[in-house]
């Protein structure tokens, strides 16, 4: 599905965020069109995850504005709970309830937040477990699942709320390498279906293949953005080139460090 960049689903204007004297975001301007997949890359401490958490106000911006679907989340009078229902978020950790089955993990938020009845919530849960390839795990408990399976359950839980936008904060960073592929396959499926997605990631192969745009952040600012071929394949800025060389060639980075 071709993204509609003329209709921004997410719009960020002059976003600042400080923790005490530490200014983590220094005036971010960014738009993500309807159906667009944007991968945010950059070194640790660059402000990527903070930016993502400001999009649904898990972090309160110090300054600037955030719009989702045309509604300003940073408006003091906004019904933030109503807007958040349109935003799905998947974290590094899976945050599943260990005492509930997979199906119960998916149905509980539907029933409490969306007020769906038990049968409707179960039907939606089953549909989304099928989407992520885990129908056979409906009655399992999280402890019996691999990390990759737990993350796919977390994605299915977010999808069960019917979001218009999905935010992913390093969704594969806590997984063993052999489990990463199944989670990325689910994210590729969502991209093909036209889901608007903002993804903080270090998975450069995923960004190259799936992203419509890649945003490179460092020091709390957007250093450059563009197509994956341009930003990853032919970066314009030295900061981007240095980051990618260390990420894609870690052995060389270690040699450089030992030589310093």
């Amino acid at each position: 599905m071709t993204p509609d960049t003329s209709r921004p689903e997410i719009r960020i204007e002059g976003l600042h965020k400080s923790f005490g004297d530490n200014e983590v975001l220094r005036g971010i301007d960014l738009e993500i069109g309807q159906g667009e997949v944007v991968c945010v890359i950059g070194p640790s401490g660059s402000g990527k995850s903070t930016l993502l958490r400001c999009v649904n106000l898990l972090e309160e911006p110090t300054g600037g504005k955030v719009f989702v679907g045309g509604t300003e989340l940073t408006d003091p009078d906004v019904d933030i709970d109503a807007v958040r229902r349109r935003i799905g978020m998947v974290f590094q950790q899976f945050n599943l309830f260990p005492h509930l089955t997979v199906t119960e993990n998916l149905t509980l938020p539907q029933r409490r937040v969306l007020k769906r009845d038990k049968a409707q919530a179960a039907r939606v849960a089953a549909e989304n477990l099928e989407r992520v390839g885990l129908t056979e795990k409906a009655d399992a408990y999280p402890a019996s699942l691999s990390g990759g399976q737990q993350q796919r359950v977390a994605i299915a839980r977010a999808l069960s709320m019917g979001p218009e936008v999905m935010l992913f904060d390093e969704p594969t960073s806590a997984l063993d390498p052999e489990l990463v592929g199944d989670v990325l396959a689910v994210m590729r499926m969502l991209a093909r279906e036209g889901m608007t997605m903002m993804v903080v990631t270090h998975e450069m192969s995923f960004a190259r293949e799936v992203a419509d745009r890649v945003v490179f952040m460092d020091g709390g600012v957007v250093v450059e953005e563009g197509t994956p071929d341009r930003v990853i394949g032919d970066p314009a800025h030295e900061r981007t080139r240095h980051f990618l060389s260390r990420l894609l060639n870690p052995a060389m980075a270690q040699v450089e460090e030992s030589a310093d």
Side-chain angles (χ1 to χ4, degrees):
M1 185 176 293
T2 303
D4 185 356
T5 54
S6 68
R7 297 177 59 190
E9 195 70 50
I10 299 173
R11 190 166 88 250
I12 299 165
E13 298 179 353
L15 193 69
H16 289 259
K17 175 62 183 178
S18 297
F19 296 97
D21 295 331
N22 182 22
E23 190 175 20
V24 178
L25 300 177
R26 304 167 181 265
I28 302 291
D29 295 301
L30 184 65
E31 288 190 356
I32 299 177
Q34 192 175 65
E36 191 175 18
V37 178
V38 172
C39 286
V40 183
I41 65 172
S44 297
S46 60
K48 309 182 301 296
S49 292
T50 300
L51 173 62
L52 200 72
R53 293 171 67 86
C54 283
V55 170
N56 64 357
L57 257 61
L58 287 178
E59 294 289 354
E60 189 80 30
T62 308
K65 297 180 179 180
V66 177
F67 299 82
V68 173
T71 301
E72 184 189 345
L73 274 71
T74 41
D75 182 337
D77 297 324
V78 75
D79 183 348
I80 187 61
D81 290 331
V83 180
R84 279 188 180 137
R85 290 173 199 149
R86 296 153 55 184
I87 306 170
M89 182 138 185
V90 178
F91 301 89
Q92 296 178 32
Q93 302 300 326
F94 323 122
N95 299 326
L96 301 176
F97 293 112
H99 63 291
L100 300 181
T101 66
V102 165
T103 293
E104 290 167 342
N105 267 281
L106 270 62
T107 56
L108 180 64
Q110 294 183 64
R111 297 179 67 186
R112 287 196 174 173
V113 177
L114 302 180
K115 307 305 180 185
R116 289 174 178 162
D117 62 39
K118 186 175 182 179
Q120 183 185 12
R123 184 167 62 252
V124 171
E127 290 170 357
N128 285 295
L129 285 176
E130 183 177 5
R131 290 173 79 187
V132 302
L134 288 175
T135 298
E136 76 284 359
K137 299 296 184 181
D139 297 324
Y141 286 88
S144 70
L145 306 179
S146 70
Q149 290 170 333
Q150 290 186 61
Q151 190 62 293
R152 284 188 281 157
V153 171
I155 294 172
R157 178 180 57 188
L159 293 174
S160 294
M161 303 298 287
E164 299 167 16
V165 171
M166 286 286 286
L167 309 177
F168 293 88
D169 186 8
E170 300 274 16
T172 60
S173 65
L175 303 180
D176 292 334
E178 67 269 22
L179 303 177
V180 168
D182 290 339
V183 173
L184 295 182
V186 170
M187 295 170 68
R188 289 186 186 95
M189 173 200 71
L190 295 177
R192 289 194 302 270
E193 292 177 354
M195 176 66 74
T196 304
M197 296 164 60
M198 186 174 177
V199 184
V200 172
T201 185
H202 282 109
E203 298 288 346
M204 292 302 107
S205 60
F206 174 82
R208 275 184 180 275
E209 177 189 347
V210 179
D212 297 294
R213 264 188 304 142
V214 172
V215 173
F216 173 69
M217 287 183 63
D218 194 15
V221 300
V222 173
V223 177
E224 64 178 303
E225 61 179 288
T227 64
D229 284 346
R230 198 192 66 69
V231 175
I232 299 175
D234 187 23
H237 291 261
E238 176 58 33
R239 289 160 81 184
T240 315
R241 289 194 292 270
H242 183 67
F243 167 76
L244 290 169
S245 69
R246 295 172 73 88
L247 183 65
L248 300 174
N249 301 288
M252 291 302 295
Q254 291 170 8
V255 170
E256 289 175 11
E257 289 169 0
S258 65
D260 288 342

